[in-house]
């Protein structure tokens, strides 16, 4: 009787709240979502139904261009690496090491800025964040054409283009959730597959354009991709508001806390470290950060390696094309495969991809012919696709949906330092020993070590589950003993249920 009366009271309370929201709310012109005036945006998001198409397909096209152009340029840096060395001082003994920092900073800044981009996306929206990032990336690439100094290009290409890429890329993934729910997997798949087309085509474009018009004009051609992205980002129209509602004036007036307290509250909200309390997440993040130390090395040094080792100056771009093609296959295949694997056991896909990636990197110096390197690159691309695509599903499994966004942001931030350091270290080894053999052996070790560390995560997760079941079993035994002895206090839920 008591339980039934509680349920009836809760249902009546929910009905009253719904009536109150309907009385205060209004119909949003853009997406038809009911938004409570002065209420939290999460309420609007819960009552919102994505259109599952329509203008959303235009957004998918814009997101495809964004992902493809940004990572197509970064993944094709091996072609720019050769042009930068030809453009630099040939007598500089540390030219390989210095040149590698240009591309490493660019790729590293994408991941380093990820936690900050999450805050900007949440506060000012996807459209403004993405358009501003594309504009910064355009300025970085365009200004890189007006200098021959590597030090200046550290800033223009590495910092400006890298940061702009991060601010343009991340909102392009978030905005898809505004337009799709049931078809979100399809939308992500189209964006992923389409972006791989850029990764396959840009190496060939850079080979033709770089030789015909030179490095300076090549940077200007690449900046045109970011110029187009500025206008495409304007299609990222949100279907429900961000967490900062400019019309929420009452909340601002009622908040009597000092600005220091408000800042501290916002810092705790956006930079919460609760995800690191989970042991499985800590080990997973450490394993990923270790593995990516050698991840970007083949993308940067492989073209130069085959030119020096096999005198292949005409067909070197084919290697990056092969990596891009099989990366697309791996990304498309990893989604359905990971859906068949339940829980954190999905991590075993990453374990296999990292260990295979490390072995393939070590196989590069063993190849005696150019076609052997092509076969290795096919496997490298496949490993890349498997590793990237299942990062988000694994984060959801380890920390839950409420903390998944922060978990991914922190993980990408942790990946920034080793991913930035790997290629320059490989370049230094190439200069010191006169060839890239030891550099590729070095690149293969971290993925194998990282893969072995990741293999511990499902085992620890299973141990924690067993311990939790044992603890819950003991609690149930204690509760049953208390009921048998009649020692429950009056008014406790268990007594009401028993009655």
């Amino acid at each position: 009787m008591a339980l039934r009366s509680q349920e009836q009271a809760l249902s009546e309370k929910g009905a009253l709240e719904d009536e109150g929201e309907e009385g205060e709310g209004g119909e949003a012109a853009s997406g038809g979502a009911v938004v409570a005036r002065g209420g939290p945006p999460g309420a609007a998001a819960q009552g919102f139904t994505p259109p599952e198409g329509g203008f959303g397909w235009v957004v998918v096209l814009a997101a495809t261009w964004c992902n493809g152009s940004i990572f197509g340029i970064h993944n094709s840096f091996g072609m720019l690496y050769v042009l930068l060395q030809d453009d630099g001082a040939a007598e500089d003994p540390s030219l390989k090491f210095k040149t590698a920092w240009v591309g490493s900073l660019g790729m590293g800044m994408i991941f380093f800025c990820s936690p900050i981009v999450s805050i900007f996306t949440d506060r000012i929206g996807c459209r403004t964040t993405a358009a501003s990032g594309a504009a910064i990336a355009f300025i970085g690439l365009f200004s890189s054409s007006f200098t021959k100094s590597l030090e200046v290009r550290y800033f223009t290409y590495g910092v400006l283009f890298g940061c702009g890429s991060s601010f343009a890329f991340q909102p392009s993934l978030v905005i898809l959730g505004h337009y799709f729910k049931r078809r979100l997997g399809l939308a992500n798949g189209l964006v992923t597959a389409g972006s791989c087309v850029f990764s396959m085509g840009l190496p060939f474009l850079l080979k033709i354009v770089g030789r015909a018009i030179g490095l300076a004009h090549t940077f200007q051609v690449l900046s045109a991709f970011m110029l187009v992205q500025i206008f495409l980002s304007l299609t990222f129209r949100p279907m429900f508001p961000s967490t900062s509602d400019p019309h929420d004036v009452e909340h601002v007036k009622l908040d009597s806390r000092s600005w220091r307290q408000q800042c501290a509250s916002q810092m705790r909200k956006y930079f919460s470290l609760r995800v690191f309390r989970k042991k499985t997440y800590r080990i997973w993040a450490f394993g990923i950060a270790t593995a990516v130390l050698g991840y970007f090395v083949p993308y940067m040094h492989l073209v130069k390696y085959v030119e020096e080792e096999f005198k292949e100056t005409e067909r070197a771009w084919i290697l990056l094309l092969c990596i891009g093609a099989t990366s697309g296959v791996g990304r498309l295949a990893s989604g359905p495969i990971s859906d068949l694997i339940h829980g954190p056991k999905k991590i075993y896909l990453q374990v296999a991809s990292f260990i295979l990636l490390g072995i393939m990197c070590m196989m590069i110096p063993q190849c005696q012919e150019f076609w052997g390197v092509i076969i290795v690159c096919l496997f490298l691309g496949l490993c890349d696709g498997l590793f990237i695509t299942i990062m988000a599903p694994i984060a959801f499994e380890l920390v839950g949906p409420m903390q998944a966004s922060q978990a991914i942001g922190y993980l990408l931030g942790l990946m920034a330092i080793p991913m930035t350091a790997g290629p320059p270290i490989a370049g230094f080894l190439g200069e010191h020993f006169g060839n890239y053999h030891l550099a590729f052996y070095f690149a293969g070790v971290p993925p194998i070590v990282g893969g072995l560390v990741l293999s511990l995560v499902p085992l620890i997760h299973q141990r924690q589950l067993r311990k939790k079941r044992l603890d819950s079993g003991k609690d149930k035994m204690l509760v049953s003993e208390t009921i048998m002895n009649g020692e429950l206090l009056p008014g406790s839920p268990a007594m009401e249920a028993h009655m």
Side-chain angles (χ1 to χ4, degrees), residues 87-140:
D87 199 49
E91 66 277 1
D92 189 350
S94 59
L95 185 60
K96 291 180 180 178
F97 174 75
K98 291 180 179 178
T99 307
W101 276 108
V102 178
S104 288
L105 284 171
M107 180 62 84
M109 291 305 292
I110 294 180
F111 297 96
F112 182 76
C113 295
S114 290
I116 303 170
V117 177
S118 299
I119 298 174
F120 274 86
T121 303
D122 188 51
R123 299 296 293 178
I124 65 177
C126 293
R127 179 161 48 185
T128 306
T129 304
S132 303
I136 295 171
F138 166 76
I139 293 171

Side-chain angles (χ1 to χ4, degrees), residues 4 55-56 63 135 221 365 445-446:
R4 188 175 299 172
F55 188 74
V221 170
V445 173

Side-chain angles (χ1 to χ4, degrees), residues 282-457:
R282 292 198 305 268
I283 297 173
W284 181 60
F286 174 76
I288 296 286
T290 302
V292 296
L293 181 61
Y295 168 80
F296 197 48
V297 171
Y299 284 100
M300 184 172 298
H301 294 289
L302 202 52
V303 173
K304 188 67 177 178
Y305 168 74
V306 297
E307 287 187 0
E308 293 180 355
E309 194 76 13
F310 303 110
K311 310 303 178 185
E312 285 286 353
T313 57
E314 298 295 327
R315 298 186 296 171
W317 61 274
I318 297 176
L319 301 177
L320 297 180
L321 183 147
C322 292
I323 293 177
T326 51
S327 176
V329 174
R331 295 182 188 201
L332 290 174
S334 62
I337 294 173
S338 65
D339 288 340
L340 299 174
I341 305 173
H342 300 289
K345 290 184 179 179
K346 291 181 174 69
I347 292 178
Y348 287 128
L349 281 177
Q350 284 189 327
V351 172
S353 64
F354 276 133
I355 291 178
L356 184 59
L357 178 71
I359 294 172
M360 289 297 107
C361 284
M362 292 181 171
M363 288 295 294
I364 292 174
Q366 302 298 321
C367 296
Q368 302 298 318
E369 300 289 341
F370 179 68
W371 61 265
V373 184
I374 292 179
I375 295 175
V376 168
C377 288
L378 293 173
F379 282 100
L380 287 175
L382 192 64
C383 296
D384 169 75
L386 288 172
F387 149 62
I388 291 291
T389 311
I390 59 174
M391 275 176 51
I394 290 174
F396 274 82
E397 294 287 352
L398 293 180
V399 302
M402 298 302 293
Q403 299 181 45
S405 178
Q406 283 191 339
I408 295 171
Y410 284 130
L411 175 64
L412 296 177
L414 289 171
M415 289 167 58
I417 296 175
M419 188 171 282
T420 303
I425 294 173
F428 172 78
L429 293 174
E431 286 172 343
H432 188 268
F433 292 97
N435 57 58
Y436 280 104
H437 290 188
L438 190 61
F440 285 115
Y441 288 132
F442 154 77
V445 173
I448 294 175
V449 174
L452 295 175
V453 171
L454 292 179
S455 65
L456 301 175
V457 177

Side-chain angles (χ1 to χ4, degrees), residues 40-61:
Q46 289 173 3
F48 173 75
T49 303
E52 300 291 349
F55 188 74
W57 297 119
V58 179
V59 176
V60 168
L61 178 64

